[in-house]
Amino acid sequence: MTTQTVEDLVLGAAQTHGVPGPVGQELLAESRPCLHLVPIQGLTPVQQRAARPAARTGGLPCLPDGVDWPDGRDPLVLTVDCAALPREALDIELPQDGYLLFFITIEYEPESSVVLHVPASVRTTQRSATYEFAGEPEQVKVYEPEVLYAVPGLTVSPDWRDSPATSAFLDLGGDRDDTLDDFEDAVRKEAAGGA
């Protein structure tokens, strides 16, 4: 999605929902493009027809020869196929190919996490969940794999409503908070292609 497309989308939604242009500009200034990774059932029928797998939750990692599970044996929670990501939807640099593997123990304030990039040109082997520790067999937690698809979207700073024009709009009272909720929901939905 181009910058102009995002601006048109946000300002069009502002006009449709009775939100002043300066408020729309503040939401725009406090937002960034993103990709949502969703299961097939989270896509619209139109999106499903064009869908290309972009990631997978859980499962076992495929790692380069000589590379073992990261220290701590955190489970693999996500594998992202960098080549399958729609580049035009992002404003950050990611590798052009290969896979990003995310290892983390799922708990609040995890003690450790590791992200590995495995280039497409590197030979890999799927690792076992079983390993030996102090002479005893141990098992890494393995989450059920699920294929995910990339859907362009927009992330909005949670503090955007503290911006001057938006605060002034809210100070007018009435159901303006609901109006902003509807406006923000419409922007997110339109940014995701109407999903």
Side-chain angles (χ1 to χ4, degrees), residues 16-124:
T16 299
H17 290 277
V19 172
V23 174
Q25 290 288 351
E26 287 178 346
L27 180 134
L28 188 60
E30 293 293 325
S31 62
R32 293 192 58 203
C34 70
L35 289 174
H36 301 281
L37 297 173
V38 297
I40 194 77
Q41 62 269 24
L43 302 176
T44 65
V46 171
Q47 289 171 327
Q48 287 179 4
R49 286 191 290 279
R52 175 180 173 197
R56 180 196 78 202
T57 60
L60 292 169
C62 290
L63 297 170
D65 294 344
V67 175
D68 202 359
W69 286 85
D71 288 343
R73 302 272 180 183
D74 290 331
L76 176 66
V77 295
L78 182 67
T79 301
V80 177
D81 179 353
C82 296
L85 299 177
R87 300 271 172 234
E88 69 281 358
L90 296 173
D91 67 351
I92 60 172
E93 291 292 322
L94 288 174
Q96 293 293 316
D97 68 14
Y99 296 87
L100 292 174
L101 284 71
F102 295 80
F103 297 86
I104 190 166
T105 301
I106 300 177
E107 59 186 52
Y108 186 66
E109 291 302 322
E111 293 182 20
S112 66
S113 62
V114 174
V115 178
L116 297 177
H117 174 245
V118 179
S121 61
V122 173
R123 186 173 152 229
T124 62

